[in-house]
Amino acid sequence: MRNTRRPATSRQRLAGFTLVELSLVLVVISILIGAVMGGMNVYRQAMTQRMYSDFVLGWRAAYLSFVSNSYGIQPGDSTTSPSYAVGGALNTPLCGDALINAMLAQGVSLPHGRAAEMPDRYVYTDKSGTPHEVQVCLETVLWSLPATTVGTFQAVPRHVLRITGLAPSVALAFDAMTDGRIDASFGEFREAGSEAGQGAASTDWSQDETASMRNADEGESVELTAYLLVGR
């Protein structure tokens, strides 16, 4: 039998997707991207929560164990004539090997950090995927507390965990987890530089998650330093 089918015309061979089909594809892609981004946000929030509960609060627990074992003498202070300040004086941070060795000498177990020999450090990524390294130190600083007259404040020595390397979104998350609200100068979690303020007004953190180093879109996310109150 003779084949009576006509050969496909050029227009038929070049026929593509219709606008409706393209729109459906774009909608599906948008849904998939939204699902992936939502999953990443949930994962990142879980990692932030884990860093706070396991690492930051782990260090606060280690500090409390130290002062319990040492009968109130602070890490790095003299055991014969103590000043009851970290490192022996105000604003004398105890960091790195000196901190780790002081804690281990008192038989204190330290939380898991970046590596076995670096329990004072923790690595994470921010919302843009930029890696950051948190480091903790112990320090005695002046800390603002309410005075005897309503509406007035006084700065008194308090022992804190100094935390460096915090992306703004992580700092704000830690603040909310500590105090239930975000405030740079009140509560048990404060931004460095705002810990001894004498004002009664609420203070915003100096940077938010839109800030970047060198004021460039491709710049790395800024890092903040914060204090977590660990002892009187």
Side-chain angles (χ1 to χ4, degrees):
M1 178 182 291
R2 184 178 179 181
N3 187 355
T4 59
R5 295 181 59 187
R6 293 183 179 181
T9 65
S10 298
R11 178 173 296 180
Q12 290 174 323
R13 286 196 300 265
L14 297 177
F17 293 109
T18 66
L19 289 176
V20 174
E21 291 171 331
L22 288 174
S23 298
L24 290 174
V25 171
L26 292 175
V27 168
V28 171
I29 291 175
S30 299
I31 293 173
L32 292 176
I33 292 175
V36 171
M37 294 301 294
M40 288 299 297
N41 288 335
V42 171
Y43 172 78
R44 194 173 293 110
Q45 290 171 2
M47 291 299 99
T48 300
Q49 175 69 52
R50 179 178 179 182
M51 177 167 55
Y52 180 78
S53 60
D54 293 353
F55 181 71
V56 175
L57 295 187
W59 266 99
R60 181 160 71 174
Y63 165 82
L64 294 174
S65 178
F66 181 99
V67 294
S68 176
N69 295 344
S70 66
Y71 301 100
I73 296 177
Q74 299 298 309
D77 197 7
S78 171
T79 57
T80 56
S81 55
S83 62
Y84 297 99
V86 173
L90 276 173
N91 304 315
T92 308
L94 188 67
C95 306
D97 290 343
L99 170 63
I100 296 169
N101 291 336
M103 304 296 279
L104 294 178
Q106 198 60 250
V108 175
S109 298
L110 300 178
H112 295 291
R114 180 171 184 173
E117 67 276 10
M118 290 188 289
D120 61 327
R121 299 169 187 264
Y122 197 101
V123 175
Y124 70 98
T125 57
D126 62 19
K127 288 186 175 181
S128 66
T130 303
H132 298 268
E133 182 183 67
V134 164
Q135 182 178 11
V136 296
C137 303
L138 286 171
E139 187 174 357
T140 301
V141 300
L142 291 178
W143 193 263
S144 177
L145 292 174
T148 54
T149 303
V150 175
T152 63
F153 296 84
Q154 59 182 339
V156 296
R158 287 293 183 266
H159 313 304
V160 299
L161 189 69
R162 190 182 77 177
I163 311 171
T164 59
L166 295 175
S169 60
V170 174
L172 269 60
F174 282 5
D175 194 4
M177 284 186 274
T178 302
D179 301 318
R181 67 169 186 169
I182 297 174
D183 194 315
S185 58
F186 286 95
E188 295 187 355
F189 192 86
R190 304 180 184 180
E191 183 173 7
S194 299
E195 72 280 358
Q198 300 295 301
S202 177
T203 306
D204 293 331
W205 285 75
S206 60
Q207 302 287 353
D208 60 27
E209 59 189 68
T210 64
S212 62
M213 295 180 183
R214 298 180 297 279
N215 296 318
D217 291 340
E218 66 273 14
E220 296 178 354
S221 175
V222 297
E223 293 182 343
L224 302 174
T225 298
Y227 290 137
L228 174 65
L229 187 65
V230 293
R232 300 187 62 176

